[in-house]
Amino acid sequence: MSNILITGATGNIGSEVIRYLFEQNTQNRIIAGVRNIDRAKRIFQKYPQLDYVPFDFEDPETFDNALTGIDRVFLLRPPHLSNVDKHFRPLINLMLKKGILEIVFLSVQGAEKSKVIPHNKMERLIIENGLNYIFLRPSYFMQNLTTTLLDDIQQKREIILPAGDAKFNWIDIDNIAEVGAIVLDNFQNYKNRILEITGKENLNFKEISSIMNNNLNHPISYRNVNPLKFFRVKKREGMPTGMILVMIMLHFLPRFQKEPPISNVYEQLTGRKPTKLEDFIEREKGLFEKS
Ligand SMILES: NC(=O)c1ccc[n+]([C@@H]2O[C@H](COP(=O)([O-])OP(=O)(O)OC[C@H]3O[C@@H](n4cnc5c(N)ncnc54)[C@H](OP(=O)(O)O)[C@@H]3O)[C@@H](O)[C@H]2O)c1
């Protein structure tokens, strides 16, 4: 039995990883490293076997206790933390000191292409320190539609982005988390591998809105804007500047890149096909119809 620390446990991916670990009857001890244990206990009340430990990337004093007795770490970079040297290097150093050599890191598809994105720096940090790793590199989350883009969909009936006609590969977080749980429980089988996790569909936002409109009672539209206009609109709405810049990078740059490659990793690991966008939209229809 291994002791597995899950960071980002209460977020989109982390909470689903925990659900899949217990659904597959993990034989390992799972510990959620969280900032607020009471809140986490409410979120995970269905899983009495889950253990908890205080953990805050922004408070290195929490690291030592959180890593005590741990064999393997699921590392997730919270979206607002980009300073790898400040928030992640000390953690990796302490893992080494404590002899914790197994890490599953949630990266992003294409991380290898850009040295400036934090995921690239984190992958290099992990490799350079000689840890045994599994990098999960998922494509664009379908759940962006039900999180960051949802307010505009519900309130304005539109998706506003500087994405032009760029195609994104769409992946369901459920599928990523399922792969995450499999590799966490079977680390040796996937050790030192990079797993690109994608869906089967490369679609632009025009195509997305049309698929949504085939399924929704209240239609939505896609408004393509230039990055400056996007910045102004979102700033006026009170979105933090850092977040606006990340949104621009994520949606504007793909206009100048090749379509994302499609992988078979999900099928290879689970024997099933990844979620289709149409099925995701049907599943989340209630959210999209609300105003
Ligand atoms: N969106 C995409 O299309 C996409 C695609 C590929 C990869 N990714 C990557 O996926 C990652 C985001 O995953 P996600 O959507 O699951 O994130 P998320 O839902 O925003 O969850 C973030 C998690 O991190 C925790 N957290 C935040 N600040 C923390 C801190 N200081 N110390 C400890 N924990 C902290 C949060 O806990 P609390 O409950 O305490 O807030 C939460 O559990 C990012 O690295 C992103 O780049 C995203």
Side-chain angles (χ1 to χ4, degrees):
M1 187 195 77
S2 297
N3 295 310
I4 306 179
L5 177 71
I6 310 286
T7 67
T10 50
N12 297 317
I13 298 275
S15 56
E16 290 298 303
V17 166
I18 288 173
R19 176 168 75 85
Y20 276 106
L21 280 165
F22 289 119
E23 272 183 14
Q24 72 192 17
N25 293 317
T26 179
Q27 297 303 299
N28 294 310
R29 180 172 158 247
I30 310 300
I31 304 111
V34 293
R35 295 192 286 187
N36 182 334
I37 291 189
D38 289 337
R39 183 171 161 262
K41 280 187 174 167
R42 284 195 296 277
I43 294 174
F44 296 115
Q45 52 187 311
K46 269 170 63 185
Y47 309 112
Q49 321 88 305
L50 182 63
D51 284 326
Y52 301 87
V53 70
F55 178 78
D56 187 339
F57 285 108
E58 290 160 278
D59 179 6
E61 294 203 350
T62 61
F63 294 0
D64 189 71
N65 179 48
L67 290 175
T68 298
I70 294 298
D71 304 292
R72 191 172 302 147
V73 173
F74 176 77
L75 181 65
L76 181 136
R77 182 193 70 87
H80 70 290
L81 298 183
S82 306
N83 189 333
V84 174
D85 283 332
K86 183 171 175 195
H87 294 117
F88 303 99
R89 189 180 289 277
L91 183 75
I92 300 293
N93 287 345
L94 194 60
M95 283 178 63
L96 285 170
K97 204 164 149 197
K98 286 178 168 287
I100 306 166
L101 297 178
E102 297 180 348
I103 190 163
V104 175
F105 170 56
L106 184 88
S107 185
V108 62
Q109 187 180 32
E112 74 285 4
K113 287 187 203 143
S114 164
K115 287 215 156 122
V116 294
I117 64 167
H119 306 83
N120 179 295
K121 291 186 190 162
M122 290 180 69
E123 288 189 3
R124 281 186 284 132
L125 176 70
I126 290 166
I127 291 175
E128 282 161 16
N129 278 289
L131 295 177
N132 289 316
Y133 63 86
I134 298 169
F135 295 152
L136 306 179
R137 288 190 186 155
S139 55
Y140 189 86
F141 297 174
M142 290 181 182
Q143 278 79 355
N144 291 330
L145 293 169
T146 55
T147 54
T148 40
L149 304 175
L150 189 63
D151 275 354
D152 284 347
I153 293 174
Q154 288 182 338
Q155 284 160 28
K156 301 186 201 157
R157 305 309 299 167
E158 72 174 8
I159 295 173
I160 169 166
L161 283 174
D165 292 332
K167 300 235 181 201
F168 293 77
N169 180 275
W170 295 77
I171 181 75
D172 183 357
I173 275 177
D174 277 23
N175 299 156
I176 306 167
E178 193 175 355
V179 169
I182 292 171
V183 303
L184 278 167
D185 266 350
N186 302 279
F187 189 87
Q188 296 307 321
N189 297 347
Y190 301 97
K191 193 170 78 177
N192 299 336
R193 279 185 57 187
I194 293 170
L195 302 176
E196 233 175 64
I197 311 169
T198 75
K200 295 289 180 202
E201 297 153 292
N202 283 347
L203 298 167
N204 64 32
F205 278 94
K206 225 185 269 167
E207 292 162 326
I208 291 297
S209 51
S210 121
I211 296 177
M212 289 177 81
N213 288 340
N214 288 339
N215 287 268
L216 301 180
N217 297 325
H218 303 97
I220 62 141
S221 58
Y222 166 49
R223 180 150 63 110
N224 172 43
V225 288
N226 68 45
L228 192 63
K229 168 91 180 168
F230 182 78
F231 188 90
R232 286 210 197 104
V233 170
K234 291 296 155 186
K235 196 74 196 159
R236 219 171 29 234
E237 289 172 5
M239 188 182 272
T241 304
M243 176 80 175
I244 303 176
L245 295 176
V246 169
M247 295 276 289
I248 291 175
M249 200 173 80
L250 200 66
H251 296 96
F252 185 62
L253 295 186
R255 292 167 70 154
F256 310 101
Q257 294 163 349
K258 281 196 202 137
E259 276 192 31
I262 290 177
S263 90
N264 285 324
V265 163
Y266 179 76
E267 271 160 300
Q268 282 164 359
L269 268 72
T270 65
R272 282 177 284 111
K273 296 224 181 296
T275 308
K276 283 171 65 179
L277 231 187
E278 202 173 341
D279 294 336
F280 172 79
I281 286 163
E282 182 60 34
R283 192 174 93 198
E284 302 296 342
K285 205 171 163 172
L287 271 181
F288 298 132
E289 295 288 13
K290 266 190 206 154
S291 60

